[in-house]
Amino acid sequence: MLWVCLLLLGCKKTTPAATQARFAFSADSAYSYIDRQVALGPRVPGTEAHSACGEWLMSELRRHGAQVKQQIGSMINYAGEEQDVRNIVAYMEGTSSQAIMLCAHWDSRPWADAEEEYNLRFQPVLGANDGASGVGVILELVRQLAILKAKGEAVPSVQVVFFDCEDMGTPTHYTGKQQKDDWCLGSQLWAKEYKQSILNAPNTTPKIQYGILLDMVGDPSATFPIEYYSAMYAASYVEKLWRIASQLGYGRYFTYQQVYPITDDHYYVNTLAGIPCLDVIDYKANSETGFSDWWHTLRDDMQNINKQTLKAVGETVMTTICSK
Ligand SMILES: [Zn+2]
């Protein structure tokens, strides 16, 4: 009889619900992590708010036991000028054989260039959803992983990267000669250096199985369709994450609609670093821009951040990375 029990135990499949029951992702905590960033004001590279936010992010990651460093560099911006870049990179050693990357951009756009009124287009956006939401959810995931690890449970090793200068692509009011690859400067820098360090120091560079990018994950009516590059480069992980979302009852957010390529940080993680990386991005096929009405406007503030959406994303990602 004993061997039958052992056999049954051995074959027992962990369901997403069982994995979900191991942790308590707090939407309140994720919300306050977003609020904390937004309270500093627009985190536009080169400003005091940006610098203060960077310090706070590093200290928060350290508080949860991560090894944290910043990657400082320079990239060419949309106008052909040098742009300082400050990525925040953290590593948490896990207790399972899995190694995953969680990433989001932490800068906010210098220009609200989707505003109807021309004069408003030169003001910076607060980036509650476009920037702070992905970072806030990841900070809460890191907090949850630290709790699980302290309990002696199996957790994956996690490479966190908060990319700078994602949102510095050519503003609509610019009329000069435009550079290509003008968005996602931080991820381009990180991906190139990661590739180089895999070649130069293969034994000391963490190997990453796949990455998850979170971008605009706090909107009350968020929908996360399957974006083209995610399906192209990270199909099996897309399949896994969207299946888990549906099993957890979050199918209304994670739809199976397929949408055209979106240039976001995951594109460079896939193509320059060679890490399969999917993008959880709120895309609205019926809107004029493809995004929320307040995207790249002065209304991208805390009023449009919803705890139910944060919970759906947080629980789905946590369950995905904690199950085989
Ligand atoms: Zn943006």
Side-chain angles (χ1 to χ4, degrees):
M1 193 60 195
L2 181 67
W3 67 269
V4 177
C5 292
L6 285 174
L7 205 66
L8 285 172
L9 279 173
C11 295
K12 199 177 128 199
K13 273 246 161 91
T14 313
T15 63
T19 304
Q20 183 193 26
R22 290 170 51 210
F23 61 87
F25 181 90
S26 164
D28 287 331
S29 171
Y31 184 93
S32 70
Y33 279 133
I34 299 166
D35 197 25
R36 182 85 186 250
Q37 297 168 73
V38 171
L40 293 167
R43 282 86 57 221
V44 172
T47 64
E48 243 174 66
H50 180 264
S51 162
C53 187
E55 293 308 303
W56 174 72
L57 292 174
M58 289 175 66
S59 72
E60 198 55 32
L61 288 161
R62 279 199 189 101
R63 198 163 74 80
H64 298 303
Q67 300 160 32
V68 187
K69 58 180 186 181
Q70 35 183 356
Q71 180 186 38
I72 307 278
S74 178
M75 297 288 291
I76 299 299
N77 75 3
Y78 64 96
E81 299 152 350
E82 295 268 341
Q83 170 64 50
D84 288 342
V85 174
R86 178 190 184 190
N87 292 327
I88 291 166
V89 184
Y91 187 72
M92 289 181 83
E93 185 82 49
T95 48
S96 76
S97 58
Q98 309 231 78
I100 284 131
M101 174 182 190
L102 296 175
C103 47
H105 76 90
W106 71 283
D107 60 308
S108 51
R109 185 156 176 79
W111 320 277
D113 56 350
E115 280 287 352
E116 275 180 32
E117 199 181 313
Y118 185 78
N119 290 335
L120 297 179
R121 295 181 190 167
F122 298 88
Q123 293 186 31
V125 303
L126 266 177
N129 196 33
D130 193 359
S133 69
V135 170
V137 169
I138 291 175
L139 286 175
E140 174 58 9
L141 290 169
V142 165
R143 192 177 78 88
Q144 292 299 326
L145 287 164
I147 293 171
L148 284 187
K149 195 174 159 184
K151 284 192 206 160
E153 298 211 26
V155 290
S157 293
V158 175
Q159 174 80 71
V160 172
V161 188
F162 293 146
F163 298 121
D164 197 8
C165 300
E166 185 270 353
D167 237 341
M168 297 198 81
T170 313
T172 53
H173 50 79
Y174 179 72
T175 53
K177 185 178 180 306
Q178 187 182 330
Q179 302 290 315
K180 66 180 186 59
D181 293 314
D182 53 335
W183 299 86
C184 309
L185 303 182
S187 52
Q188 293 182 56
L189 176 78
W190 181 84
K192 280 179 193 160
E193 290 200 8
Y194 177 83
K195 184 78 185 200
Q196 211 47 52
S197 72
I198 280 283
L199 295 172
N200 297 344
N203 297 329
T204 51
T205 307
K207 308 275 184 309
I208 299 164
Q209 289 159 327
Y210 69 99
I212 298 175
L213 173 67
L214 302 182
D215 195 3
M216 300 191 275
V217 293
D219 190 285
S221 62
T223 49
F224 308 112
I226 297 173
E227 179 273 340
Y228 180 89
Y229 292 131
S230 306
M232 181 174 168
Y233 292 105
S236 63
Y237 304 108
V238 166
E239 192 279 323
K240 180 181 178 184
L241 191 143
W242 264 254
R243 174 173 44 80
I244 285 174
S246 144
Q247 286 168 333
L248 295 180
Y250 296 132
R252 73 179 187 279
Y253 297 101
F254 290 83
T255 70
Y256 279 90
Q257 186 193 11
Q258 310 224 350
V259 298
Y260 65 73
I262 299 176
T263 304
D264 203 349
D265 292 313
H266 72 311
Y267 174 73
Y268 297 100
V269 174
N270 280 302
T271 57
L272 299 180
I275 299 167
C277 185
L278 60 85
D279 195 6
V280 174
I281 183 167
D282 179 13
Y283 180 84
K284 292 171 168 60
N286 298 327
S287 86
E288 212 176 292
T289 61
F291 304 110
S292 305
D293 290 346
W294 34 85
W295 175 73
H296 291 184
T297 73
L298 301 177
R299 286 167 296 141
D300 182 1
D301 56 24
M302 289 309 288
Q303 280 194 11
N304 296 313
I305 297 295
N306 180 278
K307 289 183 186 173
Q308 292 305 316
T309 309
L310 300 176
K311 188 172 159 67
V313 174
E315 291 197 343
T316 298
V317 173
M318 187 76 176
T319 306
T320 301
I321 66 173
C322 288
S323 50
K324 284 197 184 117

